Amino acid sequence: MKKTVLVLCTGNSCRSQIAEGYLRHFAGEKANVFSAGIETHGVNPKAIATMEEDGIDISNHTSNHIDEYRNIDFDFVITVCDNAKERCPFFPSEAQKFHHNFPDPAKATGTDEAVRAQFAKVRQQIKDYCRAFMEENL
């Protein structure tokens, strides 16, 4: 039976979108993966670009609000920022909760190269986390 995974962040624009992309990639047919935010900010174009650099297409992802998933009985809920963990709504399910606070690449400043480097760094952190999560939980 497929597991259901929700990745939760503040605006569902960067970190949760990257994590959704990698979790889907590593899970294959073993899981249904969703992402949402406690707000919606749209999918960050730089998140799309950084994932494209690693061969993962998230260009069709949408920024979704947590309320859209209230009726899904998730097996796992992963928060990828402290704000979402603190504000995560109660889920009336037996979902196992996981948390890892990744830096927000959308807050990177400096040259275009410096911003791209920060996105790539966070992307690698999320990729490593998602690979390990799937290996340990599916």
Side-chain angles (χ1 to χ4, degrees), residues 20-138:
E20 178 184 356
Y22 280 124
L23 289 168
R24 285 183 178 196
H25 174 74
F26 293 127
E29 294 297 314
K30 294 186 267 183
N32 291 316
V33 181
F34 305 87
S35 69
I38 52 179
E39 305 165 4
T40 55
H41 297 166
V43 182
N44 187 307
K46 290 179 176 131
I48 294 169
T50 198
M51 291 298 283
E52 187 175 287
E53 290 172 6
D54 198 30
I56 306 286
D57 182 7
I58 64 167
S59 63
N60 291 318
H61 284 199
T62 56
S63 185
N64 300 304
H65 192 273
I66 185 63
D67 288 343
E68 296 175 46
Y69 300 117
R70 289 252 180 238
N71 296 324
I72 297 176
D73 188 22
F74 289 100
D75 295 294
F76 306 104
V77 175
I78 305 169
T79 50
V80 292
C81 70
D82 285 344
N83 185 45
K85 182 182 181 209
E86 292 163 12
R87 294 176 58 193
C88 183
F90 170 75
F91 277 90
S93 75
E94 299 297 317
Q96 287 183 265
K97 291 188 171 74
F98 295 84
H99 175 69
H100 189 96
N101 185 45
F102 294 101
D104 187 354
K107 292 185 178 176
T109 59
T111 64
D112 286 346
E113 183 177 315
V115 171
R116 275 194 308 276
Q118 181 62 21
F119 267 85
K121 179 181 176 182
V122 173
R123 178 191 69 211
Q124 187 63 47
Q125 291 172 354
I126 294 172
K127 181 178 184 177
D128 293 343
Y129 177 87
C130 291
R131 179 185 291 119
F133 178 86
M134 286 302 182
E135 288 172 359
E136 293 167 15
N137 294 287
L138 287 187

